[in-house]
Amino acid sequence: MSTTADPLAALGSLPGVAESVETVRQAVDRVYGHRVMRRRSNEITAEAALRGARASAALQGADWALEEVRRRTDFSGDPEAGVVGASLRLSAEAGQLLGTWRQSPLQVLARLHLVAAGGSAPDDTVGRPRRAGEPVDEPTVALPLPAADEMSARLDGLARLLLAGTSAPALVTAAVVHGELLALRPFGSCNGLVARAAQRIVLVGSGLDPKSICPAEVGHAELGADAYLRALQGYATGTPDGVAAWIAHCAEAVKLGVRESTAVCEALQRGAA
């Protein structure tokens, strides 16, 4: 990452990033301009939250049909159900944390982990970054795990960048937050779920997607877990090409999330949903 005064903004000059940013902005503008959004935006927001939560759980290994997620009320009893329940809880919680994120992103990350982990981990590991020697249960992220001291330093650095403010496009900031959390895996569990919830908070809080109707999680799931991991591996190299490819992957995921919500808008317009 660049050592300039605004390293996040500097990423905007990487090859292809400006184009990714512009195509995402145009796609988001189009769905916000849909006639259904003028009358039924709350319904679109609720549906996007449900579909995003289902997709995030799928990336975590619990790939349930949307209607099953919609139907179920009890998410206890087996590990996959627990993942889906955690993803739904995070989706509901994220929208309540925008103000706190601007003041203390680390506090929000701790809260997200607390919500996601619930009773699935020992109490003294929930809601705090891992310490030296503590294991991480994150089988879907096949990357070398940074040592706890390196993780802590990088996490603090990310928080300082966010608090200092940046002129970087929302897409770039969201992609970096998402990528860093997956690469660092600061918690003992649920890092993927937390990373994708944090990405959603950045996209909403930045004003790019203020009504939270563009579920990038849907796009990531549609692109597939293998492509997701390959793009993440590129980001983890820290090379300009690798970081740019990760940002482009995140951009494509947002565009696919826009497509999903556009389809919901059109179904509502036809009276089919």
Side-chain angles (χ1 to χ4, degrees):
M1 191 175 294
S2 170
T3 58
T4 62
D6 190 351
L8 291 175
L11 296 179
S13 64
L14 292 175
V17 169
E19 291 85 349
S20 293
V21 168
E22 179 60 20
T23 57
V24 165
R25 186 193 62 77
Q26 291 175 359
V28 173
D29 285 349
R30 283 195 295 272
V31 71
Y32 269 84
H34 197 288
R35 61 185 299 179
V36 169
M37 284 295 296
R38 294 195 295 270
R39 298 174 286 109
R40 305 179 72 174
S41 63
N42 288 344
E43 293 173 68
I44 307 302
T45 296
E47 188 65 18
L50 181 69
R51 294 181 183 218
R54 189 219 71 82
S56 188
L59 288 165
Q60 205 73 9
D63 191 359
W64 286 20
L66 180 63
E67 291 310 312
E68 175 66 9
V69 178
R70 201 189 302 277
R71 180 188 67 82
R72 284 281 287 266
T73 57
D74 180 7
F75 294 95
S76 62
D78 65 81
E80 280 200 6
V83 169
V84 176
S87 190
L88 288 167
R89 292 194 302 273
L90 282 176
S91 184
E93 184 78 7
Q96 310 302 314
L97 298 172
L98 294 173
T100 307
W101 177 265
R102 298 184 183 101
Q103 302 299 319
S104 180
L106 294 183
Q107 181 180 340
V108 169
L109 293 175
R111 174 62 185 169
L112 291 174
H113 185 247
L114 182 67
V115 169
S120 67
D123 289 348
D124 65 348
T125 70
V126 173
R128 65 158 174 82
R130 58 186 167 87
R131 297 169 183 158
E134 291 182 343
V136 173
D137 180 15
E138 202 70 40
T140 61
V141 181
L143 290 175
L145 183 69
D149 56 351
E150 178 188 348
M151 175 276 294
S152 181
R154 285 175 59 180
L155 191 63
D156 287 345
L158 177 64
R160 286 195 299 272
L161 285 176
L162 295 170
L163 289 170
T166 177
S167 61
L171 172 69
V172 171
T173 303
V176 169
V177 168
H178 186 175
E180 278 292 286
L181 292 175
L182 284 175
L184 295 177
R185 281 146 290 164
F187 302 108
S189 62
C190 303
N191 290 285
L193 294 175
V194 169
R196 290 183 288 274
Q199 175 186 248
R200 173 70 69 91
I201 288 172
V202 174
L203 292 174
V204 173
S206 68
L208 177 64
D209 181 20
K211 294 183 182 294
S212 195
I213 63 166
C214 305
E217 305 94 328
V218 169
H220 285 300
E222 186 170 338
L223 291 167
D226 290 344
Y228 187 60
L229 181 57
R230 284 195 302 272
L232 176 62
Q233 289 170 334
Y235 175 85
T237 67
T239 64
D241 286 348
V243 174
W246 170 251
I247 294 171
H249 187 86
C250 291
E252 187 63 26
V254 174
K255 288 189 288 183
L256 290 170
V258 167
R259 187 178 71 179
E260 184 87 354
S261 286
T262 299
V264 173
C265 286
E266 292 175 352
L268 288 172
Q269 185 171 287
R270 293 193 302 269

